[in-house]
PDB file of all heavy atoms in Angstrom:
ATOM      1  N   GLY A 107       8.026  -3.369  -5.098  1.00 85.00           N
ATOM      2  CA  GLY A 107       7.384  -4.532  -4.565  1.00 85.00           C
ATOM      3  C   GLY A 107       6.955  -4.280  -3.078  1.00 85.00           C
ATOM      4  O   GLY A 107       7.349  -3.182  -2.493  1.00 85.00           O
ATOM      5  N   CYS A 108       6.122  -5.103  -2.581  1.00 87.00           N
ATOM      6  CA  CYS A 108       5.572  -4.898  -1.215  1.00 87.00           C
ATOM      7  C   CYS A 108       6.274  -5.761  -0.247  1.00 87.00           C
ATOM      8  O   CYS A 108       6.177  -6.964  -0.313  1.00 87.00           O
ATOM      9  CB  CYS A 108       4.034  -5.129  -1.223  1.00 87.00           C
ATOM     10  SG  CYS A 108       3.294  -5.002   0.459  1.00 87.00           S
ATOM     11  N   LEU A 109       6.969  -5.168   0.684  1.00 89.00           N
ATOM     12  CA  LEU A 109       7.752  -5.987   1.619  1.00 89.00           C
ATOM     13  C   LEU A 109       6.801  -6.743   2.542  1.00 89.00           C
ATOM     14  O   LEU A 109       7.103  -7.915   2.926  1.00 89.00           O
ATOM     15  CB  LEU A 109       8.606  -5.029   2.458  1.00 89.00           C
ATOM     16  CG  LEU A 109       9.891  -5.652   3.053  1.00 89.00           C
ATOM     17  CD1 LEU A 109      10.793  -6.186   2.081  1.00 89.00           C
ATOM     18  CD2 LEU A 109      10.598  -4.583   3.971  1.00 89.00           C
ATOM     19  N   ILE A 110       5.636  -6.193   2.919  1.00 88.00           N
ATOM     20  CA  ILE A 110       4.738  -6.932   3.753  1.00 88.00           C
ATOM     21  C   ILE A 110       4.184  -8.219   3.033  1.00 88.00           C
ATOM     22  O   ILE A 110       4.075  -9.243   3.659  1.00 88.00           O
ATOM     23  CB  ILE A 110       3.494  -5.976   4.175  1.00 88.00           C
ATOM     24  CG1 ILE A 110       3.967  -4.957   5.186  1.00 88.00           C
ATOM     25  CG2 ILE A 110       2.343  -6.812   4.743  1.00 88.00           C
ATOM     26  CD1 ILE A 110       2.958  -4.050   5.659  1.00 88.00           C
ATOM     27  N   ALA A 111       3.852  -8.043   1.771  1.00 86.00           N
ATOM     28  CA  ALA A 111       3.380  -9.249   0.978  1.00 86.00           C
ATOM     29  C   ALA A 111       4.511 -10.321   0.962  1.00 86.00           C
ATOM     30  O   ALA A 111       4.315 -11.526   1.192  1.00 86.00           O
ATOM     31  CB  ALA A 111       2.967  -8.883  -0.398  1.00 86.00           C
ATOM     32  N   THR A 112       5.744  -9.845   0.727  1.00 87.00           N
ATOM     33  CA  THR A 112       6.849 -10.834   0.644  1.00 87.00           C
ATOM     34  C   THR A 112       7.032 -11.551   2.008  1.00 87.00           C
ATOM     35  O   THR A 112       7.258 -12.704   2.034  1.00 87.00           O
ATOM     36  CB  THR A 112       8.124  -9.999   0.285  1.00 87.00           C
ATOM     37  OG1 THR A 112       7.988  -9.323  -0.964  1.00 87.00           O
ATOM     38  CG2 THR A 112       9.314 -10.976   0.212  1.00 87.00           C
ATOM     39  N   PHE A 113       7.014 -10.744   3.038  1.00 85.00           N
ATOM     40  CA  PHE A 113       7.200 -11.291   4.419  1.00 85.00           C
ATOM     41  C   PHE A 113       6.049 -12.252   4.844  1.00 85.00           C
ATOM     42  O   PHE A 113       6.289 -13.236   5.493  1.00 85.00           O
ATOM     43  CB  PHE A 113       7.368 -10.259   5.465  1.00 85.00           C
ATOM     44  CG  PHE A 113       8.757  -9.670   5.549  1.00 85.00           C
ATOM     45  CD1 PHE A 113       9.633  -9.716   4.493  1.00 85.00           C
ATOM     46  CD2 PHE A 113       9.212  -9.118   6.772  1.00 85.00           C
ATOM     47  CE1 PHE A 113      10.940  -9.219   4.513  1.00 85.00           C
ATOM     48  CE2 PHE A 113      10.531  -8.565   6.811  1.00 85.00           C
ATOM     49  CZ  PHE A 113      11.334  -8.677   5.733  1.00 85.00           C
ATOM     50  N   THR A 114       4.850 -11.871   4.383  1.00 84.00           N
ATOM     51  CA  THR A 114       3.653 -12.661   4.732  1.00 84.00           C
ATOM     52  C   THR A 114       3.805 -14.133   4.206  1.00 84.00           C
ATOM     53  O   THR A 114       3.439 -15.057   4.887  1.00 84.00           O
ATOM     54  CB  THR A 114       2.433 -12.033   4.180  1.00 84.00           C
ATOM     55  OG1 THR A 114       2.230 -10.741   4.832  1.00 84.00           O
ATOM     56  CG2 THR A 114       1.124 -12.919   4.511  1.00 84.00           C
ATOM     57  N   TYR A 115       4.288 -14.207   2.955  1.00 83.00           N
ATOM     58  CA  TYR A 115       4.448 -15.546   2.364  1.00 83.00           C
ATOM     59  C   TYR A 115       5.621 -16.329   2.976  1.00 83.00           C
ATOM     60  O   TYR A 115       5.779 -17.540   2.714  1.00 83.00           O
ATOM     61  CB  TYR A 115       4.572 -15.420   0.828  1.00 83.00           C
ATOM     62  CG  TYR A 115       3.389 -15.179   0.123  1.00 83.00           C
ATOM     63  CD1 TYR A 115       3.061 -14.015  -0.406  1.00 83.00           C
ATOM     64  CD2 TYR A 115       2.362 -16.198   0.000  1.00 83.00           C
ATOM     65  CE1 TYR A 115       1.847 -13.711  -1.089  1.00 83.00           C
ATOM     66  CE2 TYR A 115       1.249 -16.013  -0.660  1.00 83.00           C
ATOM     67  CZ  TYR A 115       0.929 -14.734  -1.193  1.00 83.00           C
ATOM     68  OH  TYR A 115      -0.243 -14.549  -1.831  1.00 83.00           O
ATOM     69  N   GLN A 116       6.469 -15.619   3.732  1.00 82.00           N
ATOM     70  CA  GLN A 116       7.587 -16.358   4.391  1.00 82.00           C
ATOM     71  C   GLN A 116       7.562 -16.135   5.881  1.00 82.00           C
ATOM     72  O   GLN A 116       8.552 -16.053   6.593  1.00 82.00           O
ATOM     73  CB  GLN A 116       8.918 -15.923   3.798  1.00 82.00           C
ATOM     74  CG  GLN A 116       9.064 -16.197   2.339  1.00 82.00           C
ATOM     75  CD  GLN A 116      10.452 -15.736   1.800  1.00 82.00           C
ATOM     76  OE1 GLN A 116      10.908 -14.663   2.029  1.00 82.00           O
ATOM     77  NE2 GLN A 116      11.107 -16.714   1.096  1.00 82.00           N
ATOM     78  N   GLU A 117       6.370 -16.032   6.475  1.00 78.00           N
ATOM     79  CA  GLU A 117       6.242 -15.685   7.840  1.00 78.00           C
ATOM     80  C   GLU A 117       6.858 -16.652   8.856  1.00 78.00           C
ATOM     81  O   GLU A 117       7.188 -16.231   9.954  1.00 78.00           O
ATOM     82  CB  GLU A 117       4.752 -15.532   8.238  1.00 78.00           C
ATOM     83  CG  GLU A 117       3.960 -16.772   8.181  1.00 78.00           C
ATOM     84  CD  GLU A 117       2.457 -16.517   8.584  1.00 78.00           C
ATOM     85  OE1 GLU A 117       2.107 -15.300   8.803  1.00 78.00           O
ATOM     86  OE2 GLU A 117       1.743 -17.531   8.683  1.00 78.00           O
ATOM     87  N   ARG A 118       7.113 -17.925   8.437  1.00 81.00           N
ATOM     88  CA  ARG A 118       7.686 -18.813   9.366  1.00 81.00           C
ATOM     89  C   ARG A 118       9.244 -18.584   9.595  1.00 81.00           C
ATOM     90  O   ARG A 118       9.857 -19.077  10.496  1.00 81.00           O
ATOM     91  CB  ARG A 118       7.603 -20.236   8.823  1.00 81.00           C
ATOM     92  CG  ARG A 118       6.152 -20.789   8.842  1.00 81.00           C
ATOM     93  CD  ARG A 118       6.074 -22.234   8.444  1.00 81.00           C
ATOM     94  NE  ARG A 118       4.695 -22.645   8.466  1.00 81.00           N
ATOM     95  CZ  ARG A 118       4.268 -23.991   8.215  1.00 81.00           C
ATOM     96  NH1 ARG A 118       5.216 -24.799   7.850  1.00 81.00           N
ATOM     97  NH2 ARG A 118       3.032 -24.302   8.217  1.00 81.00           N
ATOM     98  N   LEU A 119       9.735 -17.647   8.750  1.00 81.00           N
ATOM     99  CA  LEU A 119      11.224 -17.297   8.961  1.00 81.00           C
ATOM    100  C   LEU A 119      11.403 -16.208  10.040  1.00 81.00           C
ATOM    101  O   LEU A 119      12.610 -15.932  10.420  1.00 81.00           O
ATOM    102  CB  LEU A 119      11.758 -16.710   7.610  1.00 81.00           C
ATOM    103  CG  LEU A 119      11.740 -17.701   6.430  1.00 81.00           C
ATOM    104  CD1 LEU A 119      12.232 -16.968   5.191  1.00 81.00           C
ATOM    105  CD2 LEU A 119      12.543 -18.939   6.692  1.00 81.00           C
ATOM    106  N   PHE A 120      10.259 -15.656  10.550  1.00 83.00           N
ATOM    107  CA  PHE A 120      10.399 -14.514  11.519  1.00 83.00           C
ATOM    108  C   PHE A 120       9.689 -14.911  12.862  1.00 83.00           C
ATOM    109  O   PHE A 120       8.884 -15.825  12.857  1.00 83.00           O
ATOM    110  CB  PHE A 120       9.714 -13.237  10.899  1.00 83.00           C
ATOM    111  CG  PHE A 120       9.976 -13.113   9.443  1.00 83.00           C
ATOM    112  CD1 PHE A 120       8.976 -13.228   8.525  1.00 83.00           C
ATOM    113  CD2 PHE A 120      11.257 -12.832   8.986  1.00 83.00           C
ATOM    114  CE1 PHE A 120       9.146 -13.079   7.195  1.00 83.00           C
ATOM    115  CE2 PHE A 120      11.507 -12.671   7.615  1.00 83.00           C
ATOM    116  CZ  PHE A 120      10.465 -12.780   6.717  1.00 83.00           C
TER     117      PHE A 120
END
Side-chain angles (χ1 to χ4, degrees):
C108 177
L109 204 60
I110 288 181
T112 301
F113 277 27
T114 298
Y115 281 108
Q116 297 185 310
E117 63 177 7
R118 292 186 179 182
L119 299 177
F120 321 112

